[in-house]
Amino acid sequence: SPTIDSIGGEVAIRKPEYVSRGIRQPSQSVQKLIHSLGLAKHQEGGYFKETDRSPFYMESPYYPGHNRGTEGEPLRLGKSQEPVLPYPEDAQKKIAPYRNTSTLIHYLLTCDAYMGRLHKNHSRIIHILQKGRGQYVLVYPDGTVKSFIVGFDLEKGEVTQWVVPGEVYKASFLLPLSEEPSADDHLLISEVVVPGFEFDDHRFMQSYNELEALVGERAEELKWLLEA
Ligand code: GUN
């Protein structure tokens, strides 16, 4: 995506110091933000809430045997806008043949949940910055590592929109808003996924071995991104 294609060079990837400095409890204002947005802890790390799921459906391009839109049966919708399953037994299968056309979430990193651990999705994911500052680390299928800072200091090359391609592993972590890490630090973003999010499309990086197979010697530097 043009949102990150031109990002080059290296940004140092360093584990945040919230734990080592004993900064364990978000400030009152960050706690208020969590409460006001109704966020819950996410298994990736951080906090999140799904704020929208499209009531419209599309064929899943990831369903086994799907032709990814080049030919075949079109999707049929019933009067209620529910999909008419060509094979009703598919509804029982683990991998759904249909997806909601989109989902939207809030995602928040805080001093007590300062990273999202390495995972990937079949779908590209659109990220939009709302508040704060953080860093992303992407690991491409060919082992390329890309890292960039998300924030509002555009002159320093920070970005406010970033689209992570499908099948690219991503991790994220909180950066201090000023010189020193503080309980007030936060990164609030919105994420849009098309087709809508399903766990079937999602995968955590499984092991140090998987990371090492992708990035070789850099696995030592990046291994902390495996554990939220
Ligand atoms: N449920 C659990 N994790 C997620 C996620 O990342 N996005 C959405 N939309 N729903 C989820």
Side-chain angles (χ1 to χ4, degrees):
S1 158
T3 57
I4 56 169
D5 284 347
S6 64
I7 294 170
E10 279 287 291
V11 185
I13 298 165
R14 273 193 220 97
K15 185 174 177 169
E17 298 186 343
Y18 299 100
V19 172
S20 60
R21 292 180 183 229
I23 304 169
R24 287 166 206 285
Q25 231 204 7
S27 69
Q28 286 292 329
S29 70
V30 172
Q31 288 185 39
K32 236 187 236 173
L33 186 62
I34 294 168
H35 186 77
S36 304
L37 294 174
L39 306 182
K41 281 260 171 89
H42 196 289
Q43 55 171 310
E44 284 161 15
Y47 292 83
F48 92 116
K49 184 183 180 175
E50 188 177 284
T51 49
D52 183 73
R53 178 169 287 266
S54 168
F56 299 100
Y57 289 86
M58 59 188 283
E59 287 186 34
S60 170
Y62 315 124
Y63 191 63
H66 193 279
N67 54 39
R68 304 202 177 213
T70 54
E71 58 183 72
E73 286 285 303
L75 175 65
R76 289 179 298 129
L77 291 178
K79 279 199 202 99
S80 65
Q81 294 288 339
E82 291 294 317
V84 177
L85 298 178
Y87 307 108
E89 65 274 19
D90 283 352
Q92 312 308 318
K93 284 191 187 155
K94 192 178 161 285
I95 299 173
Y98 299 97
R99 291 281 184 277
N100 300 93
T101 53
S102 66
T103 52
L104 173 64
I105 64 169
H106 272 133
Y107 185 73
L108 177 72
L109 296 178
T110 58
C111 66
D112 67 327
Y114 60 81
M115 65 173 289
R117 67 185 159 117
L118 279 165
H119 66 280
K120 65 181 179 179
N121 196 290
H122 291 322
S123 302
R124 66 208 298 272
I125 300 187
I126 299 165
H127 303 72
I128 303 153
L129 181 63
Q130 307 287 346
K131 271 178 120 260
R133 195 161 166 265
Q135 188 167 336
Y136 274 69
V137 179
L138 307 186
V139 180
Y140 287 71
D142 71 353
T144 301
V145 177
K146 189 168 199 154
S147 190
F148 52 91
I149 293 177
V150 305
F152 292 106
D153 198 338
L154 307 181
E155 284 179 7
K156 283 199 179 141
E158 297 179 0
V159 299
T160 56
Q161 300 179 329
W162 57 106
V163 179
V164 175
E167 312 303 347
V168 170
Y169 277 109
K170 93 178 167 191
S172 56
F173 58 93
L174 186 59
L175 289 178
L177 289 168
S178 49
E179 305 280 289
E180 296 288 306
S182 109
D184 230 5
D185 295 339
H186 56 278
L187 170 68
L188 177 67
I189 68 170
S190 290
E191 292 190 26
V192 179
V193 192
V194 178
F197 180 90
E198 292 294 337
F199 274 107
D200 285 341
D201 303 339
H202 171 285
R203 186 173 185 276
F204 285 115
M205 191 176 284
Q206 299 294 303
S207 63
Y208 183 82
N209 284 346
E210 186 181 353
L211 179 61
E212 193 177 33
L214 275 171
V215 304
E217 284 171 2
R218 292 196 72 177
E220 273 303 307
E221 171 198 357
L222 302 177
K223 68 180 179 193
W224 63 276
L225 296 168
L226 288 164
E227 311 139 25

